[in-house]
Amino acid sequence: MEYIASGAQADIYKDGFKAIKLFKYNINKEEIEYEINLQKMAYDKGLPVPKIFGIIEIENKFGIEMEYLEGKTIGNIIMHDISKFEEYLLKSIEIQNGIHKIETKNIVLMKDRLKYFILKAKLINENDRERIINELENKVFDNKLCHGDFHFMNLIQTLDGIKIIDWICACSGSPEADIYRTYLLYLLSNKELAGIYLDTYCKIMQLDKNNILSWASIIAGARLGEYIKDENEKNILLKIIAN
């Protein structure tokens, strides 16, 4: 196997025409099967995702065997050639909007997922937590497919077009919340990029920006219970919740 890259949860290897996502920590088979089923669901819906072959076990670690994608992430392409930013931003918005047009059944509900992580977030004080949960309960949810972790690094440019990877956070819910989630992920690393993404999305798809921003405390609160990269990210999330 040839080492390709490393993420927060797994290392990626190439083995012939296959890619192997090998998890770094002990993870039960049910969790892997859940991720596989999500990606298979996206594949069956006709979305451009890698084909899944199954589960593999290597040195007491579980992994996922899937189609190897020859290409580069859009994030890496833009980092090396900023002139391609607008082109790929528009393409990414078109792809994300296409995902949101798909109705879903039998996958995790966005509301349940958000509530779980908000309740799990230890950094949220009880008054803010109660307020955020009330906001969540008052939201009306759709049953549209939402990627849950949509950003440039999860889009790979191949000879056959752009492919979408990492479906573990996919759920059934509201596109506006999923758009805010992407906006937040960009905001945590590049405020200017985040603003351009949101303004462009709203302009092209004729969406009310305030409707998307109304998800701020809910999505930021859930992020606090999910993953915090560093002190700066923690402060940004707490500031969003405080406002």
Side-chain angles (χ1 to χ4, degrees), residues 113-135:
R113 179 179 173 82
L114 291 172
K115 189 171 185 177
Y116 170 80
F117 283 111
I118 291 167
L119 293 174
K120 185 181 176 184
K122 296 179 180 179
L123 291 172
I124 303 177
N125 66 57
E126 288 309 311
N127 287 335
D128 284 336
R129 193 191 313 279
E130 182 178 354
R131 171 178 57 82
I132 294 169
I133 292 295
N134 285 336
E135 287 183 30

Side-chain angles (χ1 to χ4, degrees), residues 7-214:
Q9 295 181 327
D11 294 319
I12 308 298
Y13 297 88
K14 179 183 178 184
D15 186 14
F17 64 91
K18 295 180 181 179
I20 296 175
K21 180 179 181 180
L22 193 63
F23 292 92
K24 297 178 179 180
Y25 53 90
N26 291 329
I27 184 169
N28 63 55
K29 218 169 183 179
E30 287 73 22
E31 290 179 80
I32 296 179
E33 287 173 348
Y34 175 73
E35 180 172 353
I36 285 175
N37 288 334
L38 284 174
Q39 193 157 317
K40 282 184 176 179
M41 176 270 298
Y43 183 88
D44 291 342
K45 295 287 186 181
L47 291 170
V49 303
K51 185 177 181 179
I52 291 286
F53 298 116
I55 297 176
I56 189 171
E57 186 175 359
I58 300 173
E59 296 179 353
N60 298 318
K61 291 181 181 179
F62 284 117
I64 301 174
E65 279 189 316
M66 67 186 82
E67 173 191 3
Y68 176 74
L69 300 178
E70 191 72 55
K72 294 181 179 179
T73 67
I74 288 178
N76 284 330
I77 292 173
I78 292 171
M79 279 192 286
H80 288 92
D81 187 355
I82 194 62
S83 69
K84 295 186 178 294
F85 170 72
E86 184 177 356
E87 172 192 350
Y88 278 115
L89 174 64
L90 296 177
K91 286 182 178 179
S92 73
I93 289 172
E94 182 181 353
I95 292 168
Q96 191 171 17
N97 184 62
I99 295 171
H100 293 158
K101 289 180 179 179
I102 297 173
E103 294 192 2
T104 55
K105 294 180 180 178
N106 302 321
I107 67 171
V108 168
L109 298 178
M110 176 184 282
K111 182 177 181 179
D112 293 342
R113 179 179 173 82
L114 291 172
K115 189 171 185 177
Y116 170 80
F117 283 111
I118 291 167
L119 293 174
K120 185 181 176 184
K122 296 179 180 179
L123 291 172
I124 303 177
N125 66 57
E126 288 309 311
N127 287 335
D128 284 336
R129 193 191 313 279
E130 182 178 354
R131 171 178 57 82
I132 294 169
I133 292 295
N134 285 336
E135 287 183 30
L136 179 68
E137 293 295 339
N138 288 325
K139 286 290 187 183
V140 176
F141 286 83
D142 297 319
N143 63 338
K144 303 297 185 181
L145 178 60
C146 297
H147 183 276
D149 197 25
F150 192 91
H151 53 79
F152 286 154
M153 298 305 289
N154 278 339
L155 299 171
I156 298 180
Q157 178 67 66
T158 73
L159 292 176
D160 295 324
I162 297 173
K163 307 290 185 178
I164 316 160
I165 62 171
D166 285 353
W167 286 85
I168 187 61
C169 297
C171 56
S172 177
S174 297
E176 291 85 358
D178 198 46
I179 294 167
Y180 187 87
R181 164 79 173 192
T182 299
Y183 166 75
L184 177 62
L185 293 174
Y186 287 146
L187 183 66
L188 294 174
S189 59
N190 189 317
K191 186 177 181 179
E192 183 179 5
L193 167 58
I196 294 172
Y197 160 78
L198 186 56
D199 288 343
T200 305
Y201 205 120
C202 291
K203 181 179 180 180
I204 292 175
M205 301 304 169
Q206 298 183 335
L207 299 176
D208 186 340
K209 187 175 176 179
N210 289 327
N211 286 343
I212 295 169
L213 292 175
S214 71

